[in-house]
Amino acid sequence: MSHLQDIAVFVEVIDAGSFTAAAEQLNLSKSVVSKAVTRLEDRLGVRLLNRTTRRLSLTEAGQAFYQRSQSALAELNAAEEEVSHLQISPRGVLRINTPMSFGILHIAPVISEFMARYPDIRVEMNLDDRKVDVIEEGFDVSVRISDLPDSTLIARRLCPCRHAVVAAPAYLERMGVPVHPGELINHNIISYQYQESALNWHFTDDQGNDHSVSVSGSLRMNNSLALHQALLAGAGITRTPTFIVGEDIRAGRLVSLMPGWRSIEPSVFLVYAQRKHLAPKVRAFVDFVAGKISEH
């Protein structure tokens, strides 16, 4: 076997969970599979697997080698897939997961165009603000708004997700207008349950000075659109993406506070599983959305 074949066998052993299962998947004997892994360990000069009679586990070196090897093999398979499927139209059921607000405001308005372009694709779109397990729940692709996407998934960055600290004029008339992050401790904060550091807000000013403040409030919600309605009604102050409140700020329904201080700015990603053969329907959707949602 070539070095690459030995690596592929090693990855299959981990993915399958045992030498026996890997041998069945590869249509090889168990001894051939075992020798390939041993040969790879000898070549590298490290132990990749801890073997017992009941289970296999990766060593620290094995874990690092597995992650890099899996990624490299996925790229090679993707290259073959791209060439072999150039003339095949994307088809089948495409299961999409997206946060509710982003899905309603940005994905739903263009999904009709996508389906018209690819009439052999049927779309099932799930809108859910929680972070789902893409593989476990059977989604083909998911929209993630975060700083660091799950390293076990392929991630394509679409754009930044800028956040603003905002409140309704009616609330500010009652409670006053904060001009410094430290003043937020005197205000009622509407917090978003799924946002990291929901009650510990970090800011940076135009000179690069940092300031963190622990905020609190009487209202916590797990849906950003519901939070948006409470915000418009004057329930308090919140930190929320500008793609939700930008029009409200321009129309004067909401006020953007502390303009000299920048808040969090995660990114919007499309994520999908590392698979040996990326389905054309997934590639088509990823490329389509990337063409619609840019840095702007």
Side-chain angles (χ1 to χ4, degrees):
M1 283 188 177
S2 69
H3 295 181
L4 185 58
Q5 286 175 310
D6 288 346
I7 293 172
V9 169
F10 165 70
V11 170
E12 185 60 38
V13 168
I14 306 307
D15 289 343
S18 70
F19 284 92
T20 301
E24 292 176 357
Q25 289 290 330
L26 297 170
N27 197 25
L28 298 171
S29 69
K30 182 179 177 181
S31 63
V32 169
V33 170
S34 179
K35 287 177 182 177
V37 174
T38 299
R39 187 165 50 244
L40 183 60
E41 290 178 322
D42 290 342
R43 185 181 303 115
L44 296 173
V46 296
R47 177 174 289 278
L48 301 173
L49 290 171
N50 292 315
R51 304 165 175 82
T52 69
T53 57
R54 301 185 65 181
R55 64 188 297 269
L56 297 174
S57 62
L58 287 165
T59 63
E60 182 178 2
Q63 180 67 42
F65 189 75
Y66 169 72
Q67 290 179 346
R68 296 295 293 270
S69 298
Q70 187 187 48
S71 178
L73 289 172
E75 285 296 319
L76 288 173
N77 285 317
E80 285 189 350
E81 189 75 15
E82 186 173 348
V83 172
S84 64
H85 285 81
L86 281 176
Q87 305 305 319
I88 300 178
S89 297
R91 63 185 66 245
V93 178
L94 178 69
R95 301 194 69 233
I96 306 165
N97 166 258
T98 176
M100 186 167 292
S101 56
F102 193 88
I104 291 172
L105 296 172
H106 291 285
I107 302 298
V110 300
I111 204 69
S112 178
E113 181 183 346
F114 172 75
M115 296 180 70
R117 186 177 300 182
Y118 301 102
D120 293 329
I121 293 180
R122 291 181 292 121
V123 173
E124 293 180 3
M125 188 164 74
N126 176 74
L127 294 96
D128 195 331
D129 282 344
R130 67 186 177 89
K131 182 180 177 180
V132 305
D133 187 316
V134 175
I135 298 174
E136 182 70 23
E137 300 189 35
F139 291 106
D140 295 298
V141 62
S142 177
V143 176
R144 291 273 176 85
I145 301 176
S146 62
D147 291 313
L148 293 174
D150 191 328
S151 61
T152 63
L153 300 172
I154 301 293
R156 180 163 178 174
R157 184 179 183 274
L158 297 177
C159 60
C161 181
R162 298 181 179 91
H163 281 60
V165 177
V166 293
Y171 173 85
L172 298 174
E173 289 175 8
R174 295 196 317 270
M175 304 302 299
V177 180
V179 297
H180 185 276
E183 298 176 22
L184 292 173
I185 62 174
N186 300 316
H187 287 269
N188 189 52
I189 302 301
I190 310 172
S191 59
Y192 176 53
Q193 179 176 333
Y194 294 125
Q195 191 175 78
E196 294 181 11
S197 303
L199 295 176
N200 185 20
W201 292 6
H202 179 78
F203 296 88
T204 304
D205 68 10
D206 295 335
Q207 287 73 46
N209 300 310
D210 295 332
H211 187 88
S212 294
V213 57
S214 295
V215 297
S216 62
S218 58
L219 181 58
R220 187 183 187 197
M221 307 184 83
N222 70 348
N223 180 271
S224 54
L225 292 180
L227 185 151
H228 178 227
Q229 293 302 309
L231 181 67
L232 289 170
I237 293 175
T238 198
R239 179 183 66 181
T240 193
T242 55
F243 71 76
I244 296 176
V245 296
E247 290 299 327
D248 296 304
I249 293 171
R250 281 189 284 270
R253 293 185 294 270
L254 294 174
V255 178
S256 181
L257 304 170
M258 302 177 296
W261 293 87
R262 298 187 305 278
S263 188
I264 59 173
E265 189 175 302
S267 293
V268 181
F269 294 92
L270 287 177
V271 299
Y272 48 95
Q274 292 185 2
R275 293 177 177 168
K276 291 181 179 179
H277 304 292
L278 181 63
K281 63 183 179 182
V282 177
R283 175 64 64 193
F285 181 77
V286 170
D287 290 343
F288 174 82
V289 174
K292 293 292 182 181
I293 300 173
S294 66
E295 290 291 322
H296 174 73

